[in-house]
Amino acid sequence: MKFTLQANDKFSKARAGEIETAHGKIQTPIFMPVGTAGTVKAVHQHELKQDIEAQIILGNTYHLYLRPGLDVLNKAGGLHKFIGWDRPILTDSGGYQVYSLTEVRKIKEEGVTFRSHVDGSKHLFTPENVMDTQRVIGADIIMAFDECTPYPCDYGYARRSLDMTHRWLKRCCDRFDTTGPLYGYDQTLFPIVQGSVYKDLREKSAEVIASFNREGNAIGGLSVGEPAEEMYAMTEVVCNILPTEKPRYLMGVGTPINLLENIALGIDMFDCVMPTRNARNGMLFTQNGTINIKNEKWKDDFSPIEPESDLMADQVYTKAYLRHLIRSQEILGAQIASLHNLHFYLWLVNQAREKIVDGTFYEWKNKMVKILGQRL
């Protein structure tokens, strides 16, 4: 993997760059649609390419390990071939999913034992076998195995968890560096900064992660319930330490406003289920603010969802029609809304990139934050 910085904003730490992988180039800042189990929910791969122009998507190690399973993925030649996607893929390590299984998992130094949400079967994730699993999945960028602490989190627990995450990282790197890719192209390992919302722990973790000198770095454990101000404060602390010449990935974030504020702090990569999950529940993100399409006010509104930026080249869907579909729980409603929200997210980060390059990002960002906070 190669990362090239192409522009820096004069009034913030925002930057534009390019990540080069075996499956293509990624223009940053970038948002990665979440394809948890080998599919971005309600969206075809050709729509991801042609309509949304997604440059990279995300898969989840925990879910893919359980279904379809490593044997199937290996026989298919990896996730790219299995799902028919020839652009870059990033996989998270499953650490967040295991963290969310509070009642059915146990964390020890060796790793994490957990029970499958599918059939209740017992499994063990270790730093070593998570690296092996991500080799089989075959993503271009893979994540180290870490523990994602909850919010709020006791300082003592956060410190102990952080130290273990760093020990696990050493084991991840050792396993990754002594194994090879399975499908004829290189993979890249990103470590993950943790430390909850404690400044000294975040600083310590960022320094440790930077010392491993991997090709890119991730920031985890934010967007887990903490106030946005805490997220921004921790992101700023970490970005001041992580090397500027390597991409920074803020995991699981977030709202359109979160994206803009964190881009201004120096983040290059994002992922979040919000655009698709909220879409299925009738929440639409637009250039003028947020729409709850279920509201009565849209019942006979026959204007396009986004007048200034038609999603479909050959089809205009009205607010009234989409409201009807969502309220009727028609599958097409989830499809249209998901396409719209993902299109908007990719439009937003692309606009941010253009503004960084032409030197107008900071003023534009401040204006957009006010607009995007509106409920229409």
Side-chain angles (χ1 to χ4, degrees):
M1 191 198 82
K2 180 183 177 183
F3 179 61
T4 306
L5 265 178
Q6 297 172 324
N8 290 278
D9 182 51
K10 293 178 181 178
F11 303 104
S12 72
K13 295 178 182 175
R15 63 250 202 101
E18 182 178 84
I19 300 171
E20 188 173 348
T21 75
H23 285 93
K25 295 178 180 180
I26 305 157
Q27 305 291 310
T28 65
I30 191 64
F31 178 83
M32 301 178 283
V34 176
T36 301
T39 171
V40 177
K41 281 185 171 57
V43 182
H44 286 286
Q45 272 81 321
H46 72 83
E47 292 171 322
L48 285 171
K49 278 188 175 183
Q50 296 167 19
D51 298 326
I52 299 166
E53 298 182 356
Q55 299 174 54
I56 177 173
I57 61 173
L58 181 143
N60 180 259
T61 293
Y62 166 83
H63 289 280
L64 293 166
Y65 164 82
L66 293 175
R67 289 186 300 199
L70 301 186
D71 183 55
V72 170
L73 289 168
N74 186 249
K75 288 178 180 176
L79 185 61
H80 287 90
K81 289 186 177 179
F82 184 62
I83 69 173
W85 178 257
D86 60 2
R87 294 182 182 180
I89 297 176
L90 179 148
T91 44
D92 64 12
S93 68
Y96 178 82
Q97 281 65 36
V98 170
Y99 140 82
S100 65
L101 297 169
T102 311
E103 304 300 320
V104 290
R105 53 100 165 131
K106 192 168 186 179
I107 302 171
K108 294 183 177 180
E109 186 68 33
E110 179 190 9
V112 181
T113 54
F114 62 93
R115 292 198 176 275
S116 163
H117 75 285
V118 177
D119 59 10
S121 57
K122 191 175 181 180
H123 303 268
L124 170 67
F125 271 7
T126 69
E128 290 80 10
N129 68 27
V130 166
M131 293 298 96
D132 297 343
T133 296
Q134 290 185 91
R135 287 292 198 193
V136 173
I137 295 171
D140 300 272
I141 300 171
I142 73 173
M143 293 294 118
F145 190 54
D146 64 334
E147 183 189 1
C148 178
T149 52
Y151 179 85
C153 180
D154 171 78
Y155 181 88
Y157 184 91
R159 179 177 51 78
R160 292 189 297 273
S161 171
L162 180 67
D163 290 341
M164 185 172 68
T165 285
H166 293 161
R167 293 192 296 273
W168 283 0
L169 174 57
K170 173 66 164 61
R171 291 165 58 188
C172 285
C173 290
D174 288 347
R175 185 60 155 235
F176 182 82
D177 291 342
T178 54
T179 58
L182 301 179
Y183 308 116
Y185 55 85
D186 288 337
Q187 295 177 282
T188 299
L189 172 64
F190 281 22
I192 302 172
V193 175
Q194 287 289 350
S196 188
V197 293
Y198 300 106
K199 182 174 184 285
D200 62 321
L201 296 184
R202 286 284 173 179
E203 289 174 336
K204 175 184 177 182
S205 187
E207 289 166 357
V208 169
I209 264 58
S211 74
F212 275 81
N213 198 29
R214 309 309 295 198
E215 290 93 336
N217 299 294
I219 304 169
L222 297 174
S223 195
V224 292
E226 80 284 352
E229 293 71 24
E230 296 263 28
M231 177 205 301
Y232 302 146
M234 294 303 101
T235 299
E236 183 172 23
V237 164
V238 171
C239 285
N240 284 339
I241 295 171
L242 292 180
T244 58
E245 72 275 11
K246 297 178 181 182
R248 303 167 181 148
Y249 163 34
L250 183 56
M251 306 179 75
V253 175
T255 68
I257 291 174
N258 291 159
L259 264 62
L260 293 182
E261 295 291 8
N262 282 297
I263 288 171
L265 296 171
I267 295 296
D268 307 294
M269 304 168 69
F270 301 88
D271 81 283
C272 190
V273 297
M274 182 172 285
T276 46
R277 178 179 291 169
N278 284 28
R280 296 193 298 274
N281 293 311
M283 187 70 71
L284 304 180
F285 300 103
T286 80
Q287 297 173 38
N288 297 306
T290 305
I291 293 174
N292 182 351
I293 203 66
K294 292 181 179 179
N295 287 349
E296 184 78 10
K297 66 188 293 184
W298 310 116
K299 183 177 180 179
D300 56 1
D301 186 328
F302 303 109
S303 65
I305 300 163
E306 184 84 86
E308 297 174 25
S309 176
D310 235 353
L311 178 62
M312 303 294 185
D314 59 347
Q315 181 68 59
V316 175
Y317 296 108
T318 68
K319 297 183 183 76
Y321 180 51
L322 182 55
R323 178 181 184 273
H324 158 69
L325 293 175
I326 293 289
R327 288 181 62 85
S328 303
Q329 298 185 329
E330 287 286 346
I331 293 172
L332 181 58
Q335 291 177 300
I336 294 171
S338 297
L339 277 167
H340 170 82
N341 279 354
L342 286 173
H343 184 274
F344 171 76
Y345 267 61
L346 269 293
W347 172 86
L348 187 67
V349 293
N350 186 58
Q351 284 290 296
R353 176 184 169 83
E354 289 183 9
K355 302 300 181 182
I356 293 166
V357 171
D358 69 23
T360 61
F361 170 79
Y362 192 68
E363 182 181 353
W364 171 82
K365 185 269 294 185
N366 289 338
K367 181 183 74 173
M368 286 301 297
V369 164
K370 292 177 181 178
I371 294 172
L372 297 176
Q374 298 178 140
R375 291 295 183 101
L376 302 178

